[in-house]
Amino acid sequence: MAGLEGRGQPWGHAHAAAARWSPAVEDEHALKALELYGNPTEAEVPLPSRPESAATARRLTQVVVLRHWGLTPKTTEDAVLLVSELVGNAVRHTGARVFGLRLHRRRGWIRAEVRDPSRGLPCLMPVQEMDVSGRGLFLVDKLADRWGVDLLPRGKTTWFEMRVPDR
């Protein structure tokens, strides 16, 4: 059945895996990530520089923004996406073995920070409609209220901030 296979698996296997996903299962994964890695609102959470760490960072962000801070699903969705983009850049472009994730909340704002040992600055590139990569900082620039990079003696912190309603 050509065309019904994806990622090297017959359609039935991929379909069965997708059918097991649910918000409750994702919540469980998010809480497990919090237990395993720590709370990024209390201290910087070190994560290995591997592609699968983007999923861990998304889950940590989801559980903090939605559950702990009680913000809207839309704010949570945007924060999760932008954290994923910053983590993806750290994994792909820095050569780091480990990076750090930190989340902050103050009146009217949330802030996410990804720290890595590279002093190479991220670059916002023009994006064309058909581009399949290079959209990470473009999304951060469009969805965050502000973002930037703080150079450190050893590395940098790339961050974004979003306005949020006060409780």
Side-chain angles (χ1 to χ4, degrees):
M1 298 187 133
L4 293 179
E5 295 182 3
R7 297 185 181 184
Q9 294 182 339
W11 181 82
H13 290 273
H15 180 71
R20 285 192 297 269
W21 183 92
S22 73
V25 168
E26 195 56 32
D27 251 9
E28 185 179 315
H29 287 295
L31 292 171
K32 187 69 168 173
L34 196 62
E35 183 181 310
L36 286 173
Y37 293 96
N39 186 334
T41 66
E42 295 170 358
E44 182 178 281
V45 172
L47 294 169
S49 189
R50 295 194 301 253
E52 56 270 20
S53 288
T56 301
R58 283 193 299 271
R59 288 174 175 143
L60 289 169
T61 303
Q62 175 192 340
V63 76
V64 166
V65 175
L66 189 61
R67 280 183 177 239
H68 292 182
W69 292 342
L71 298 176
T72 67
K74 174 67 172 132
T75 299
T76 303
E77 181 181 310
D78 288 350
V80 165
L81 173 63
L82 299 186
V83 162
S84 184
E85 295 300 337
L86 293 187
V87 166
N89 283 347
V91 170
R92 275 189 299 282
H93 302 298
T94 68
R97 290 175 44 184
V98 175
F99 64 89
L101 173 67
R102 187 86 159 101
L103 301 172
H104 303 274
R105 173 139 192 223
R106 68 180 195 278
R107 186 177 180 91
W109 293 91
I110 61 171
R111 177 180 173 110
E113 302 173 348
V114 174
R115 187 185 56 78
D116 66 71
S118 168
R119 288 181 55 88
L121 296 176
C123 185
L124 179 60
M125 304 293 288
V127 175
Q128 304 300 316
E129 187 176 328
M130 298 304 288
D131 289 347
V132 294
S133 66
R135 294 179 181 268
L137 281 181
F138 175 80
L139 288 171
V140 172
D141 191 59
K142 292 297 177 202
L143 294 176
D145 289 291
R146 52 188 179 216
W147 70 277
V149 180
D150 296 332
L151 284 176
L152 306 169
R154 294 191 176 162
K156 69 179 172 301
T157 298
T158 307
W159 55 268
F160 70 83
E161 294 181 336
M162 296 169 55
R163 290 181 205 277
V164 295
D166 289 327
R167 288 189 234 176

